[in-house]
Amino acid sequence: MVHVTLWQKGMVITMTFTIISVGRLKEAYFADAAAEYVKRIGGFSQCKKLTLIDVKESKNDGEITERIPPSSYVFALCIEGKQLTSRDFSAKLEQAFTSEKKGICFIIGGSEGLSEGVKSIADMRLSMSEMTFPHRLAKIMLLEQLYRALSIQNNRSYHK
Amino acid sequence: MVHVTLWQKGMVITMTFTIISVGRLKEAYFADAAAEYVKRIGGFSQCKKLTLIDVKESKNDGEITERIPPSSYVFALCIEGKQLTSRDFSAKLEQAFTSEKKGICFIIGGSEGLSEGVKSIADMRLSMSEMTFPHRLAKIMLLEQLYRALSIQNNRSYHK
């Protein structure tokens, strides 16, 4: 099935994007990569605002759940979640765009993963791989997929 | 099934590792991340040598296949390949260690992916995700998994 993007329909809906991750990007190269993707994603008309929030590893679930913006479609990243192709991920974001939600929020766990409590409040459990990646690299992978998804929606050549 | 690593059996087999990728790491942050992983991987006794080879995007298959060291177990990275968990990937590498092979070689395609010709000479087609990642990020993801696999084999705590 050919997915007709909102962009192709002449509609642009703006959303806020939030990525909450447990643990910090200590390495300069991961911080630099994240900053570059944030800049690029911010250039898309669909992106009203992109916020990266780091939560300390030692904190409890409350710290995470409190930071989720109200009326967000929430993705919990976990290895047992569902995998999507980049195109299907892009289409999934568009579904959220056309819902009553005002934003999209992603949660990435630390070295212990996310608790059942956090996962249970998510609208979707998303897996990027069967392989285990550290949160700092998972964040870059997610930013890349977000950039790719918005490129697909805007019919840019990047995503080929 | 609990996999008993070669390290736990008191055996350490050294191998050469080669990553051939189509296209270059232009971004400083990806180059820095790769350099850090190369340093860390080089610290493991299993790693005799780790070589990263960049092949120009425009070149043909011959350029890739000529660079594969003789007697290598070859992984072709492609989206339609088989996904493995990090532990199974680690065990898969150990299988190659105990074969007659002298090295392990990974091939990462450029924006057009790898040709059927290159994929057909691989011992295994490996996929890291259903999502499409650019070769430069795929290289970092692969280096991370290689580091993780060797950590698992050496019973280091990193891989939890």
Side-chain angles (χ1 to χ4, degrees):
Chain A
M1 196 190 78
V2 176
H3 175 78
V4 179
T5 68
L6 293 175
W7 180 87
Q8 286 165 318
K9 290 178 188 156
M11 294 165 68
V12 173
I13 296 167
T14 63
M15 298 286 261
T16 62
F17 294 93
T18 308
I19 300 177
I20 299 173
S21 56
V22 180
R24 295 192 60 199
L25 289 183
K26 287 174 210 149
E27 298 88 348
Y29 44 81
F30 284 134
D32 290 350
E36 172 64 23
Y37 277 115
V38 166
K39 195 175 75 179
R40 286 196 221 163
I41 291 164
F44 284 110
S45 50
Q46 286 97 333
C47 180
K48 195 172 178 178
K49 196 177 165 189
L50 167 60
T51 310
L52 305 189
I53 298 171
D54 290 335
V55 172
K56 280 190 192 154
E57 182 87 49
S58 59
K59 295 285 179 180
N60 59 21
D61 289 1
E63 173 92 10
I64 295 174
T65 53
E66 278 167 20
R67 308 299 292 270
I68 300 172
S71 187
S72 291
Y73 186 95
V74 179
F75 288 93
L77 273 82
C78 43
I79 203 159
E80 76 277 17
K82 186 173 158 60
Q83 286 198 40
L84 297 174
T85 64
S86 296
R87 286 197 170 274
D88 288 345
F89 176 61
S90 176
K92 187 83 196 166
L93 292 183
E94 287 208 331
Q95 275 179 30
F97 285 7
T98 51
S99 71
E100 79 288 4
K101 304 288 188 184
K102 291 196 176 64
I104 293 172
C105 181
F106 300 92
I107 309 174
I108 302 173
S111 62
E112 303 294 337
L114 293 171
S115 72
E116 262 315 305
V118 170
K119 285 188 266 192
S120 68
I121 60 156
D123 294 284
M124 182 179 172
R125 297 179 191 204
L126 177 70
S127 173
M128 295 194 287
S129 178
E130 284 191 27
M131 289 172 158
T132 304
F133 286 95
H135 75 93
R136 52 197 185 278
L137 184 48
K139 194 175 194 172
I140 306 303
M141 289 160 62
L142 176 62
L143 283 165
E144 205 284 332
Q145 289 305 307
L146 197 50
Y147 176 65
R148 187 173 294 264
L150 295 177
S151 297
I152 290 169
Q153 290 174 22
N154 289 276
N155 214 21
R156 299 265 182 95
S157 64
Y158 175 73
H159 60 84
K160 75 175 171 183
Chain B
M1 196 191 78
V2 176
H3 176 78
V4 179
T5 69
L6 293 175
W7 180 87
Q8 285 164 317
K9 290 177 189 158
M11 293 165 68
V12 174
I13 297 167
T14 63
M15 297 287 260
T16 62
F17 294 93
T18 308
I19 300 176
I20 299 172
S21 56
V22 180
R24 295 191 60 197
L25 291 183
K26 288 175 208 148
E27 299 87 348
Y29 45 81
F30 283 135
D32 289 351
E36 173 64 23
Y37 277 115
V38 167
K39 195 174 76 180
R40 286 196 222 163
I41 292 165
F44 284 111
S45 49
Q46 286 96 333
C47 180
K48 193 171 179 181
K49 194 177 167 189
L50 167 59
T51 310
L52 306 188
I53 298 171
D54 291 335
V55 171
K56 280 190 191 153
E57 181 89 47
S58 59
K59 294 287 180 180
N60 59 20
D61 289 2
E63 173 92 9
I64 296 174
T65 53
E66 278 167 20
R67 307 300 292 270
I68 301 172
S71 187
S72 292
Y73 187 95
V74 179
F75 287 93
L77 274 82
C78 42
I79 203 159
E80 76 277 16
K82 186 174 158 60
Q83 286 198 39
L84 297 174
T85 65
S86 296
R87 285 197 171 273
D88 287 345
F89 176 60
S90 176
K92 186 82 197 168
L93 291 184
E94 288 208 329
Q95 275 179 30
F97 285 7
T98 50
S99 70
E100 79 288 5
K101 304 287 189 185
K102 292 196 174 65
I104 294 171
C105 181
F106 300 92
I107 309 174
I108 302 173
S111 61
E112 302 294 337
L114 293 171
S115 72
E116 262 315 304
V118 170
K119 285 188 264 192
S120 69
I121 60 156
D123 293 285
M124 182 178 173
R125 298 177 191 206
L126 177 70
S127 173
M128 294 193 289
S129 178
E130 285 192 27
M131 290 172 159
T132 304
F133 286 95
H135 75 92
R136 52 197 185 277
L137 184 49
K139 195 175 193 172
I140 306 304
M141 290 160 62
L142 175 62
L143 283 165
E144 206 284 331
Q145 289 306 308
L146 197 50
Y147 176 66
R148 187 172 293 264
L150 295 178
S151 297
I152 291 169
Q153 291 174 20
N154 289 276
N155 215 20
R156 300 266 180 92
S157 63
Y158 174 72
H159 60 83
K160 76 175 169 184

